[in-house]
Amino acid sequence: MYQVLLVDDEPIILSGIKYLIDWEKNGCQVVDTARNGKQALEKIRALSPDIVICDIAMPVITGTELLALAAEESPDTVFIMLTNHPDFDLARESLRFKAVDYLLKSQLVAETLEASLARACRERDKRTKLTRVELVDSYLKEGEQQALQMAVHHLTRAMAGGDSDLQETAAVLERHGVTSGWGMAYIPLDFSRAKPSEDGSDADRRRLCDWQRDMLGKLAENLFPHQLLFCPNKLGQQLFLLAWGLDGSEWETRVLQFAAKAQSASATITQAGLRVTATDFFRQGGDLAECRRQLVLLQEYCYLEQEGTFFRQFSPPELQPLHLSGFGGRLTAELRSKNPTGVAKLLERASAKIRDTAHEKGQAEWLCGEICAAVDGVLGSDGDLALCRYWEQVQLLRRSQALHWLELLQNELAAQLEQYASGKQELIEKAKQYVLDNVEKKIMLQDVADYVCISPGYLSALFKKMYNHNFSDYINHVKMERACELIREGRYRIYEISDMLSFENAYYFSQVFKRHIGMTPTGYQKKIRRE
């Protein structure tokens, strides 16, 4: 049973149409009526009728305007338009938005309405079927496209599975005609020279990556008869291009053209740097394993910044380990002791190893991760560590990228540790001045710690680290220097000086004096008199 909505601003017309024919006999049912275009649009959205019989001239929203809106929102709904005046332009406008019929109210009889209604029912069936076919086709195409992308994703994974994975991938690629005359390109992107956004947010970086990918996708469409540009992860800093339907000579020519155009366009539009490196040209699906092997090696060659475009142009390096096991622990120890020299030596060693050793990219990634964990673990709550968060936002694609980052990190840590040292020096100097100002009083470690606002244990440890002796020794040293001054004045007896400097008794004062000055207070007094 087809659902019908009647729309007219004249109640008499609405009633007349509603009772003009036997709706059930015609396989239809009037589900509701509306008095203007706005009301009709709301009921179309709510009821989704199959057929709308609608007057053209109505208030608020005209019938033609309603037809246009419904064509966008509910394209399967079929319209029969009514009017009091024969007007070719109105009829043409109605037909442009796919109204099935255009009827004059003055000539409307049961037979005419039934004939028009029959055409509307057939049109509704046709539109419903077409929509279903389009949805199925769209679903199948989307599914096939996703399957193709997933197949390429499996192929580009550096540590892809075994033969079963490749067999499944080969089946998908073969279904798309890919495994006859094909090749792949690896495209690492460098956004370090790109103009940063105003706020430098992750969203803006992703938009820049999306912009770059769309631009390269359009270039690839113009140069390769069949292609798929694929990004394996959300960071968007490396792309893979799969192209097929070519012969061997076309492959190399078009890759070089693509590389030149891509580099030129990127330098002008996004300021991103890029390389295009390509596998050999393959002629059958059985070459998938070899293609995967070449893609893995191309990533290593690009990381080591070897020259070349095609796989055959690269020379396989003799890869060696960095021999930096335990590096993170040693760096953590130096950072905890706030030793800028030790930190600098470790980072210089890491840079030298990365610069001078032909190594796998994964080893450098591990090393950078160890460094970030050490720095964050020790200094994470004390400052801005944007350089450590950097590795969460980028991929390590070039050796020079790691070296540049290590240089920046070394400079930043040196500045930060210098601030630590400067701040701690100020604390110690303040503590020392307190001793000088209160030399004749009984000075307790707790009193000095309270004065400089740190714990007694931290003050003691910090002083010992900086001067290699205890803070209590410094207090006694200052008191003994003052005792010598008082003895040279010759106005006080030894026990009076002991009391003036807040010692418990003269005996203890004498022992401390001998330890710091090398003789007893009496001996020092005699020496001064002789001199």
Side-chain angles (χ1 to χ4, degrees):
M1 192 74 69
Y2 297 91
Q3 308 293 305
V4 180
L5 174 67
L6 302 180
V7 186
D8 200 298
D9 62 328
E10 300 181 50
I12 296 176
I13 300 295
L14 273 180
S15 180
I17 296 173
K18 189 172 182 179
Y19 296 103
L20 183 60
I21 63 172
D22 184 343
W23 293 92
E24 290 189 6
K25 180 182 176 182
N26 288 276
C28 298
Q29 176 186 5
V30 176
V31 292
D32 209 340
T33 61
R35 297 285 300 278
N36 59 56
K38 182 176 182 297
Q39 190 180 79
L41 183 60
E42 293 172 353
K43 293 189 176 184
I44 289 172
R45 290 168 175 169
L47 301 173
S48 300
D50 300 302
I51 300 166
V52 177
I53 300 177
C54 181
D55 185 17
I56 286 180
M58 289 189 302
V60 187
I61 296 177
T62 69
T64 305
E65 291 170 341
L66 176 63
L67 175 60
L69 290 169
E72 290 289 332
E73 297 185 20
S74 183
D76 290 351
T77 300
V78 178
F79 274 71
I80 298 172
M81 306 305 294
L82 304 173
T83 184
N84 284 320
H85 308 286
D87 187 322
F88 177 72
D89 289 336
L90 287 176
R92 181 174 60 185
E93 189 73 5
S94 299
L95 294 173
R96 185 166 74 88
F97 289 109
K98 299 183 179 179
V100 75
D101 215 342
Y102 178 82
L103 304 177
L104 291 173
K105 293 181 183 179
S106 59
Q107 300 175 5
L108 190 60
V109 295
E111 292 80 5
T112 305
L113 181 57
E114 287 178 340
S116 182
L117 199 59
R119 285 193 293 274
C121 292
R122 291 194 295 272
E123 177 65 19
R124 172 65 184 192
D125 290 342
K126 185 167 68 174
R127 292 186 188 181
T128 301
K129 182 178 179 180
L130 181 61
T131 298
R132 288 174 180 169
V133 170
E134 288 175 348
L135 285 173
V136 171
D137 286 347
S138 174
Y139 176 79
L140 290 175
K141 288 179 181 178
E142 183 179 350
E144 283 297 299
Q145 188 74 1
Q146 289 178 349
L148 179 58
Q149 288 185 354
M150 186 58 67
V152 177
H153 176 67
H154 283 307
L155 192 60
T156 55
R157 282 167 50 197
M159 299 302 292
D163 293 339
S164 59
D165 286 337
L166 285 182
Q167 290 174 2
E168 182 179 348
T169 300
V172 176
L173 296 180
E174 186 174 355
R175 192 160 63 245
H176 287 81
V178 173
T179 53
S180 177
W182 62 285
M184 289 193 70
Y186 168 60
I187 310 167
L189 303 174
D190 177 11
F191 291 102
S192 61
R193 291 174 293 177
K195 182 179 179 181
S197 61
E198 292 184 0
D199 61 357
S201 66
D202 293 342
D204 284 327
R205 279 189 290 270
R206 284 193 294 271
R207 280 194 290 271
L208 184 61
C209 293
D210 292 341
W211 189 8
Q212 177 74 29
R213 186 167 62 249
D214 290 344
M215 182 178 66
L216 296 183
K218 290 180 174 61
L219 288 175
E221 288 175 4
N222 293 332
L223 284 169
F224 298 96
H226 305 287
Q227 54 77 36
L228 177 64
L229 189 68
F230 181 75
C231 179
N233 57 45
K234 294 180 180 179
L235 295 175
Q237 293 175 295
Q238 57 180 349
L239 303 174
F240 293 89
L241 174 67
L242 170 66
W244 64 96
L246 303 166
D247 60 38
S249 60
E250 285 183 311
W251 170 240
E252 296 205 359
T253 300
R254 298 194 185 208
V255 166
L256 292 174
Q257 290 175 345
F258 175 76
K261 290 179 180 293
Q263 289 165 354
S264 175
S266 298
T268 303
I269 299 173
T270 62
Q271 287 81 52
L274 62 83
R275 284 190 68 181
V276 178
T277 58
T279 66
D280 292 335
F281 184 73
F282 302 108
R283 301 185 182 278
Q284 55 188 2
D287 294 323
L288 281 176
E290 175 61 19
C291 178
R292 183 179 64 183
R293 185 186 76 85
Q294 291 187 14
L295 284 175
V296 172
L297 291 175
L298 282 176
Q299 294 176 67
E300 296 292 342
Y301 298 155
C302 286
Y303 166 74
L304 294 173
E305 298 175 283
Q306 290 192 8
E307 296 295 326
T309 298
F310 297 96
F311 182 77
R312 56 181 170 76
Q313 298 171 339
F314 291 90
S315 57
E318 295 184 7
L319 299 178
Q320 300 175 358
L322 291 175
H323 294 301
L324 289 173
S325 61
F327 186 90
R330 291 193 293 274
L331 180 59
T332 296
E334 296 295 346
L335 288 169
R336 282 178 177 163
S337 65
K338 304 298 184 290
N339 181 5
T341 302
V343 170
K345 286 182 178 179
L346 281 174
L347 293 181
E348 286 168 3
R349 184 187 176 203
S351 296
K353 284 285 188 179
I354 289 179
R355 182 180 58 250
D356 301 333
T357 306
H359 57 280
E360 291 183 357
K361 181 180 70 168
Q363 289 210 14
E365 290 173 332
W366 166 83
L367 177 61
C368 292
E370 287 280 291
I371 292 172
C372 287
V375 174
D376 189 57
V378 178
L379 304 178
S381 61
D382 292 338
D384 181 14
L385 299 171
L387 281 172
C388 287
R389 292 192 295 273
Y390 173 76
W391 292 113
E392 300 173 3
Q393 304 158 2
V394 302
Q395 294 167 282
L396 182 57
L397 302 178
R398 293 169 291 110
R399 174 158 51 180
S400 60
Q401 183 185 9
L403 291 171
H404 181 60
W405 177 76
L406 282 170
E407 180 183 5
L408 292 177
L409 182 65
Q410 184 174 337
N411 293 337
E412 181 174 306
L413 287 177
Q416 191 157 338
L417 292 176
E418 183 179 348
Q419 290 178 356
Y420 272 94
S422 175
K424 290 172 182 176
Q425 184 67 46
E426 289 177 4
L427 288 175
I428 295 302
E429 290 300 322
K430 189 175 179 181
K432 289 168 68 178
Q433 189 61 46
Y434 178 90
V435 174
L436 292 171
D437 293 340
N438 297 276
V439 64
E440 294 184 358
K441 296 179 180 178
K442 185 175 181 65
I443 301 173
M444 304 296 293
L445 181 62
Q446 181 68 56
D447 298 330
V448 185
D450 290 343
Y451 178 72
V452 296
C453 301
I454 58 176
S455 69
Y458 186 58
L459 173 59
S460 180
L462 190 59
F463 191 92
K464 174 128 189 196
K465 182 173 181 59
M466 295 184 70
Y467 294 101
N468 201 31
H469 57 80
N470 296 326
F471 190 69
S472 59
D473 290 333
Y474 172 74
I475 295 173
N476 285 330
H477 175 76
V478 172
K479 284 181 175 286
M480 294 309 101
E481 291 288 337
R482 179 59 177 154
C484 289
E485 292 176 7
L486 294 171
I487 291 173
R488 286 195 296 270
E489 289 179 12
R491 292 187 298 162
Y492 306 102
R493 299 177 183 272
I494 299 300
Y495 72 88
E496 290 175 327
I497 295 175
S498 170
D499 188 58
M500 289 172 63
L501 294 177
S502 301
F503 280 88
E504 293 179 2
N505 54 66
Y507 174 78
Y508 179 62
F509 166 72
S510 296
Q511 286 187 320
V512 173
F513 189 96
K514 184 176 182 179
R515 188 166 65 247
H516 282 269
I517 305 302
M519 61 183 73
T520 64
T522 302
Y524 184 79
Q525 188 179 53
K526 291 179 180 179
K527 177 186 174 186
I528 294 299
R529 287 174 179 172
R530 288 195 302 269
E531 292 175 350

Short mmCIF file of all heavy atoms in Angstrom, two decimals, residues 47-95:
data_model
loop_
_atom_site.label_atom_id
_atom_site.label_comp_id
_atom_site.label_asym_id
_atom_site.label_seq_id
_atom_site.Cartn_x
_atom_site.Cartn_y
_atom_site.Cartn_z
N LEU A 47 6.83 11.47 8.02
CA LEU A 47 6.08 10.31 7.54
C LEU A 47 6.75 9.57 6.39
O LEU A 47 6.41 8.40 6.15
CB LEU A 47 4.68 10.76 7.10
CG LEU A 47 3.82 11.43 8.18
CD1 LEU A 47 2.53 11.99 7.56
CD2 LEU A 47 3.48 10.44 9.29
N SER A 48 7.67 10.25 5.66
CA SER A 48 8.31 9.65 4.48
C SER A 48 7.27 9.04 3.53
O SER A 48 7.31 7.82 3.24
CB SER A 48 9.33 8.59 4.89
OG SER A 48 10.34 9.14 5.69
N PRO A 49 6.32 9.81 3.03
CA PRO A 49 5.29 9.26 2.14
C PRO A 49 5.90 8.82 0.81
O PRO A 49 6.95 9.33 0.39
CB PRO A 49 4.32 10.43 1.95
CG PRO A 49 5.17 11.65 2.16
CD PRO A 49 6.17 11.27 3.19
N ASP A 50 5.20 7.89 0.15
CA ASP A 50 5.66 7.45 -1.17
C ASP A 50 5.29 8.48 -2.23
O ASP A 50 6.06 8.70 -3.18
CB ASP A 50 5.00 6.11 -1.52
CG ASP A 50 5.37 5.03 -0.51
OD1 ASP A 50 6.57 4.76 -0.35
OD2 ASP A 50 4.45 4.48 0.11
N ILE A 51 4.12 9.09 -2.11
CA ILE A 51 3.60 10.00 -3.13
C ILE A 51 3.06 11.26 -2.45
O ILE A 51 2.43 11.18 -1.39
CB ILE A 51 2.48 9.33 -3.96
CG1 ILE A 51 3.02 8.06 -4.65
CG2 ILE A 51 1.88 10.29 -4.98
CD1 ILE A 51 1.92 7.16 -5.21
N VAL A 52 3.33 12.42 -3.05
CA VAL A 52 2.78 13.69 -2.56
C VAL A 52 2.01 14.33 -3.72
O VAL A 52 2.56 14.52 -4.81
CB VAL A 52 3.89 14.65 -2.09
CG1 VAL A 52 3.30 16.00 -1.67
CG2 VAL A 52 4.67 14.02 -0.93
N ILE A 53 0.72 14.64 -3.46
CA ILE A 53 -0.09 15.38 -4.44
C ILE A 53 -0.17 16.80 -3.90
O ILE A 53 -0.74 17.04 -2.83
CB ILE A 53 -1.48 14.77 -4.60
CG1 ILE A 53 -1.34 13.31 -5.09
CG2 ILE A 53 -2.32 15.56 -5.58
CD1 ILE A 53 -2.66 12.56 -5.21
N CYS A 54 0.41 17.75 -4.66
CA CYS A 54 0.71 19.06 -4.09
C CYS A 54 0.30 20.21 -5.02
O CYS A 54 0.59 20.18 -6.23
CB CYS A 54 2.21 19.12 -3.82
SG CYS A 54 2.76 20.67 -3.10
N ASP A 55 -0.33 21.22 -4.43
CA ASP A 55 -0.66 22.45 -5.16
C ASP A 55 0.62 23.26 -5.38
O ASP A 55 1.49 23.30 -4.52
CB ASP A 55 -1.69 23.24 -4.36
CG ASP A 55 -2.19 24.47 -5.10
OD1 ASP A 55 -2.00 24.52 -6.33
OD2 ASP A 55 -2.73 25.37 -4.44
N ILE A 56 0.73 23.92 -6.52
CA ILE A 56 1.92 24.73 -6.80
C ILE A 56 1.88 26.06 -6.05
O ILE A 56 2.85 26.48 -5.43
CB ILE A 56 2.05 24.97 -8.33
CG1 ILE A 56 2.53 23.69 -9.02
CG2 ILE A 56 3.04 26.10 -8.60
CD1 ILE A 56 2.71 23.80 -10.50
N ALA A 57 0.71 26.75 -6.07
CA ALA A 57 0.60 28.08 -5.46
C ALA A 57 0.12 27.94 -4.02
O ALA A 57 -1.07 27.72 -3.77
CB ALA A 57 -0.36 28.95 -6.27
N MET A 58 1.08 28.05 -3.05
CA MET A 58 0.73 27.93 -1.63
C MET A 58 1.51 28.98 -0.84
O MET A 58 2.57 29.43 -1.26
CB MET A 58 1.10 26.53 -1.10
CG MET A 58 0.23 25.41 -1.62
SD MET A 58 0.59 23.86 -0.74
CE MET A 58 2.33 23.67 -1.08
N PRO A 59 1.00 29.35 0.35
CA PRO A 59 1.71 30.30 1.21
C PRO A 59 2.91 29.66 1.91
O PRO A 59 3.02 28.44 1.95
CB PRO A 59 0.65 30.73 2.21
CG PRO A 59 -0.29 29.57 2.28
CD PRO A 59 -0.32 28.99 0.89
N VAL A 60 3.77 30.53 2.44
CA VAL A 60 4.96 30.17 3.21
C VAL A 60 6.03 29.53 2.32
O VAL A 60 7.08 30.10 2.08
CB VAL A 60 4.64 29.23 4.39
CG1 VAL A 60 5.89 29.02 5.28
CG2 VAL A 60 3.49 29.78 5.23
N ILE A 61 5.78 28.34 1.86
CA ILE A 61 6.67 27.68 0.89
C ILE A 61 5.81 27.23 -0.26
O ILE A 61 4.82 26.52 -0.06
CB ILE A 61 7.39 26.47 1.52
CG1 ILE A 61 8.31 26.90 2.66
CG2 ILE A 61 8.20 25.72 0.47
CD1 ILE A 61 9.00 25.74 3.38
N THR A 62 6.13 27.63 -1.50
CA THR A 62 5.33 27.25 -2.66
C THR A 62 5.52 25.77 -2.95
O THR A 62 6.46 25.13 -2.48
CB THR A 62 5.73 28.07 -3.89
OG1 THR A 62 7.07 27.68 -4.30
CG2 THR A 62 5.71 29.56 -3.60
N GLY A 63 4.64 25.24 -3.77
CA GLY A 63 4.74 23.84 -4.16
C GLY A 63 6.03 23.54 -4.90
O GLY A 63 6.64 22.47 -4.72
N THR A 64 6.47 24.49 -5.77
CA THR A 64 7.71 24.29 -6.51
C THR A 64 8.92 24.25 -5.57
O THR A 64 9.83 23.44 -5.73
CB THR A 64 7.90 25.40 -7.56
OG1 THR A 64 6.74 25.46 -8.39
CG2 THR A 64 9.10 25.12 -8.43
N GLU A 65 8.90 25.18 -4.60
CA GLU A 65 9.99 25.19 -3.62
C GLU A 65 9.98 23.91 -2.77
O GLU A 65 11.05 23.36 -2.46
CB GLU A 65 9.84 26.41 -2.71
CG GLU A 65 10.11 27.73 -3.42
CD GLU A 65 9.73 28.94 -2.59
OE1 GLU A 65 8.95 28.79 -1.63
OE2 GLU A 65 10.22 30.05 -2.89
N LEU A 66 8.81 23.45 -2.41
CA LEU A 66 8.71 22.20 -1.65
C LEU A 66 9.25 21.04 -2.46
O LEU A 66 9.97 20.17 -1.94
CB LEU A 66 7.25 21.95 -1.27
CG LEU A 66 6.96 20.63 -0.55
CD1 LEU A 66 7.68 20.56 0.79
CD2 LEU A 66 5.45 20.43 -0.36
N LEU A 67 8.93 21.01 -3.75
CA LEU A 67 9.41 19.95 -4.63
C LEU A 67 10.94 19.96 -4.69
O LEU A 67 11.57 18.89 -4.63
CB LEU A 67 8.81 20.14 -6.02
CG LEU A 67 9.31 19.19 -7.13
CD1 LEU A 67 9.02 17.74 -6.77
CD2 LEU A 67 8.66 19.56 -8.46
N ALA A 68 11.53 21.16 -4.79
CA ALA A 68 12.99 21.26 -4.86
C ALA A 68 13.63 20.78 -3.56
O ALA A 68 14.65 20.05 -3.58
CB ALA A 68 13.39 22.70 -5.16
N LEU A 69 13.07 21.16 -2.42
CA LEU A 69 13.62 20.72 -1.13
C LEU A 69 13.50 19.21 -0.96
O LEU A 69 14.43 18.54 -0.49
CB LEU A 69 12.89 21.44 0.01
CG LEU A 69 13.18 22.94 0.15
CD1 LEU A 69 12.20 23.57 1.15
CD2 LEU A 69 14.61 23.17 0.61
N ALA A 70 12.35 18.68 -1.33
CA ALA A 70 12.13 17.23 -1.20
C ALA A 70 13.04 16.44 -2.12
O ALA A 70 13.45 15.32 -1.80
CB ALA A 70 10.66 16.90 -1.46
N ALA A 71 13.36 17.01 -3.28
CA ALA A 71 14.25 16.33 -4.23
C ALA A 71 15.64 16.12 -3.61
O ALA A 71 16.32 15.14 -3.92
CB ALA A 71 14.37 17.13 -5.52
N GLU A 72 16.02 17.04 -2.72
CA GLU A 72 17.31 16.90 -2.04
C GLU A 72 17.22 15.95 -0.86
O GLU A 72 18.08 15.09 -0.66
CB GLU A 72 17.78 18.29 -1.54
CG GLU A 72 18.20 19.25 -2.63
CD GLU A 72 19.51 18.84 -3.29
OE1 GLU A 72 20.34 18.20 -2.61
OE2 GLU A 72 19.69 19.14 -4.47
N GLU A 73 16.19 16.11 -0.04
CA GLU A 73 16.10 15.36 1.21
C GLU A 73 15.46 13.99 1.06
O GLU A 73 15.81 13.06 1.78
CB GLU A 73 15.30 16.17 2.24
CG GLU A 73 15.96 17.49 2.63
CD GLU A 73 15.19 18.18 3.74
OE1 GLU A 73 14.41 17.50 4.45
OE2 GLU A 73 15.36 19.41 3.92
N SER A 74 14.51 13.87 0.16
CA SER A 74 13.76 12.62 0.01
C SER A 74 13.56 12.31 -1.47
O SER A 74 12.44 12.38 -1.99
CB SER A 74 12.41 12.74 0.73
OG SER A 74 11.70 11.53 0.67
N PRO A 75 14.64 11.99 -2.18
CA PRO A 75 14.56 11.84 -3.64
C PRO A 75 13.66 10.71 -4.12
O PRO A 75 13.22 10.72 -5.27
CB PRO A 75 16.02 11.59 -4.04
CG PRO A 75 16.68 11.07 -2.81
CD PRO A 75 16.00 11.74 -1.67
N ASP A 76 13.35 9.73 -3.26
CA ASP A 76 12.48 8.62 -3.68
C ASP A 76 11.00 9.02 -3.68
O ASP A 76 10.17 8.33 -4.29
CB ASP A 76 12.67 7.42 -2.76
CG ASP A 76 14.03 6.77 -2.96
OD1 ASP A 76 14.73 7.15 -3.91
OD2 ASP A 76 14.40 5.89 -2.15
N THR A 77 10.65 10.11 -2.98
CA THR A 77 9.25 10.54 -2.92
C THR A 77 8.82 11.11 -4.27
O THR A 77 9.52 11.95 -4.84
CB THR A 77 9.06 11.59 -1.81
OG1 THR A 77 9.44 11.00 -0.56
CG2 THR A 77 7.61 12.04 -1.74
N VAL A 78 7.65 10.66 -4.75
CA VAL A 78 7.16 11.07 -6.08
C VAL A 78 6.10 12.16 -5.92
O VAL A 78 5.19 12.04 -5.09
CB VAL A 78 6.56 9.86 -6.84
CG1 VAL A 78 6.02 10.28 -8.19
CG2 VAL A 78 7.62 8.76 -6.98
N PHE A 79 6.19 13.22 -6.74
CA PHE A 79 5.26 14.35 -6.66
C PHE A 79 4.33 14.39 -7.88
O PHE A 79 4.77 14.15 -9.02
CB PHE A 79 6.02 15.68 -6.59
CG PHE A 79 6.42 16.09 -5.19
CD1 PHE A 79 7.42 15.40 -4.51
CD2 PHE A 79 5.79 17.15 -4.56
CE1 PHE A 79 7.78 15.77 -3.23
CE2 PHE A 79 6.14 17.53 -3.28
CZ PHE A 79 7.15 16.84 -2.60
N ILE A 80 3.05 14.66 -7.61
CA ILE A 80 2.07 15.03 -8.64
C ILE A 80 1.68 16.47 -8.33
O ILE A 80 1.20 16.77 -7.22
CB ILE A 80 0.83 14.12 -8.61
CG1 ILE A 80 1.22 12.67 -8.89
CG2 ILE A 80 -0.22 14.60 -9.61
CD1 ILE A 80 0.07 11.68 -8.69
N MET A 81 1.89 17.38 -9.26
CA MET A 81 1.66 18.80 -9.03
C MET A 81 0.28 19.22 -9.56
O MET A 81 -0.17 18.76 -10.62
CB MET A 81 2.75 19.64 -9.71
CG MET A 81 4.17 19.24 -9.34
SD MET A 81 4.50 19.23 -7.55
CE MET A 81 4.33 20.98 -7.17
N LEU A 82 -0.39 20.13 -8.81
CA LEU A 82 -1.72 20.64 -9.16
C LEU A 82 -1.65 22.15 -9.31
O LEU A 82 -0.91 22.83 -8.59
CB LEU A 82 -2.74 20.31 -8.06
CG LEU A 82 -2.90 18.83 -7.66
CD1 LEU A 82 -3.81 18.72 -6.45
CD2 LEU A 82 -3.47 18.04 -8.83
N THR A 83 -2.47 22.71 -10.23
CA THR A 83 -2.53 24.16 -10.40
C THR A 83 -3.88 24.57 -10.96
O THR A 83 -4.58 23.77 -11.61
CB THR A 83 -1.41 24.66 -11.32
OG1 THR A 83 -1.44 26.08 -11.37
CG2 THR A 83 -1.55 24.10 -12.71
N ASN A 84 -4.25 25.85 -10.75
CA ASN A 84 -5.50 26.39 -11.31
C ASN A 84 -5.29 26.95 -12.70
O ASN A 84 -6.25 27.15 -13.44
CB ASN A 84 -6.04 27.49 -10.40
CG ASN A 84 -6.70 26.94 -9.16
OD1 ASN A 84 -7.39 25.92 -9.23
ND2 ASN A 84 -6.46 27.57 -8.03
N HIS A 85 -4.03 27.22 -13.06
CA HIS A 85 -3.75 27.91 -14.33
C HIS A 85 -2.74 27.12 -15.15
O HIS A 85 -1.68 26.74 -14.64
CB HIS A 85 -3.19 29.30 -14.07
CG HIS A 85 -4.04 30.12 -13.13
ND1 HIS A 85 -5.24 30.67 -13.53
CD2 HIS A 85 -3.87 30.45 -11.84
CE1 HIS A 85 -5.77 31.33 -12.51
NE2 HIS A 85 -4.96 31.20 -11.45
N PRO A 86 -3.05 26.89 -16.42
CA PRO A 86 -2.08 26.23 -17.29
C PRO A 86 -0.88 27.16 -17.53
O PRO A 86 -1.06 28.28 -18.00
CB PRO A 86 -2.87 25.95 -18.58
CG PRO A 86 -3.99 26.93 -18.57
CD PRO A 86 -4.32 27.19 -17.15
N ASP A 87 0.26 26.76 -17.17
CA ASP A 87 1.45 27.61 -17.30
C ASP A 87 2.63 26.71 -17.67
O ASP A 87 3.06 25.86 -16.88
CB ASP A 87 1.71 28.34 -15.98
CG ASP A 87 2.83 29.37 -16.11
OD1 ASP A 87 3.82 29.09 -16.81
OD2 ASP A 87 2.71 30.44 -15.48
N PHE A 88 3.17 26.91 -18.87
CA PHE A 88 4.23 26.04 -19.36
C PHE A 88 5.49 26.13 -18.49
O PHE A 88 6.15 25.13 -18.21
CB PHE A 88 4.58 26.40 -20.80
CG PHE A 88 5.73 25.59 -21.36
CD1 PHE A 88 5.57 24.25 -21.67
CD2 PHE A 88 6.98 26.15 -21.53
CE1 PHE A 88 6.62 23.50 -22.17
CE2 PHE A 88 8.05 25.41 -22.01
CZ PHE A 88 7.86 24.08 -22.35
N ASP A 89 5.80 27.36 -18.03
CA ASP A 89 7.00 27.53 -17.21
C ASP A 89 6.90 26.76 -15.90
O ASP A 89 7.86 26.16 -15.43
CB ASP A 89 7.24 29.01 -16.93
CG ASP A 89 7.69 29.76 -18.18
OD1 ASP A 89 8.25 29.10 -19.08
OD2 ASP A 89 7.49 30.99 -18.26
N LEU A 90 5.69 26.83 -15.29
CA LEU A 90 5.50 26.08 -14.04
C LEU A 90 5.63 24.59 -14.27
O LEU A 90 6.23 23.85 -13.48
CB LEU A 90 4.13 26.40 -13.44
CG LEU A 90 3.97 27.79 -12.79
CD1 LEU A 90 2.53 27.98 -12.34
CD2 LEU A 90 4.90 27.93 -11.60
N ALA A 91 5.06 24.14 -15.37
CA ALA A 91 5.15 22.71 -15.70
C ALA A 91 6.59 22.29 -15.93
O ALA A 91 7.03 21.25 -15.45
CB ALA A 91 4.30 22.42 -16.94
N ARG A 92 7.33 23.14 -16.65
CA ARG A 92 8.73 22.81 -16.93
C ARG A 92 9.56 22.77 -15.63
O ARG A 92 10.40 21.89 -15.44
CB ARG A 92 9.31 23.85 -17.88
CG ARG A 92 10.77 23.59 -18.26
CD ARG A 92 11.24 24.57 -19.33
NE ARG A 92 11.12 25.94 -18.83
CZ ARG A 92 11.36 27.01 -19.60
NH1 ARG A 92 11.69 26.86 -20.87
NH2 ARG A 92 11.24 28.23 -19.10
N GLU A 93 9.29 23.73 -14.71
CA GLU A 93 9.99 23.77 -13.43
C GLU A 93 9.68 22.52 -12.61
O GLU A 93 10.57 21.94 -11.97
CB GLU A 93 9.59 25.03 -12.66
CG GLU A 93 10.40 25.28 -11.41
CD GLU A 93 11.81 25.76 -11.70
OE1 GLU A 93 12.13 25.99 -12.89
OE2 GLU A 93 12.59 25.89 -10.75
N SER A 94 8.42 22.08 -12.65
CA SER A 94 8.03 20.87 -11.90
C SER A 94 8.72 19.64 -12.47
O SER A 94 9.21 18.78 -11.72
CB SER A 94 6.51 20.69 -11.96
OG SER A 94 5.86 21.80 -11.37
N LEU A 95 8.77 19.56 -13.79
CA LEU A 95 9.40 18.40 -14.41
C LEU A 95 10.91 18.39 -14.19
O LEU A 95 11.52 17.33 -14.13
CB LEU A 95 9.08 18.37 -15.91
CG LEU A 95 7.60 18.15 -16.25
CD1 LEU A 95 7.38 18.32 -17.75
CD2 LEU A 95 7.14 16.78 -15.79
#
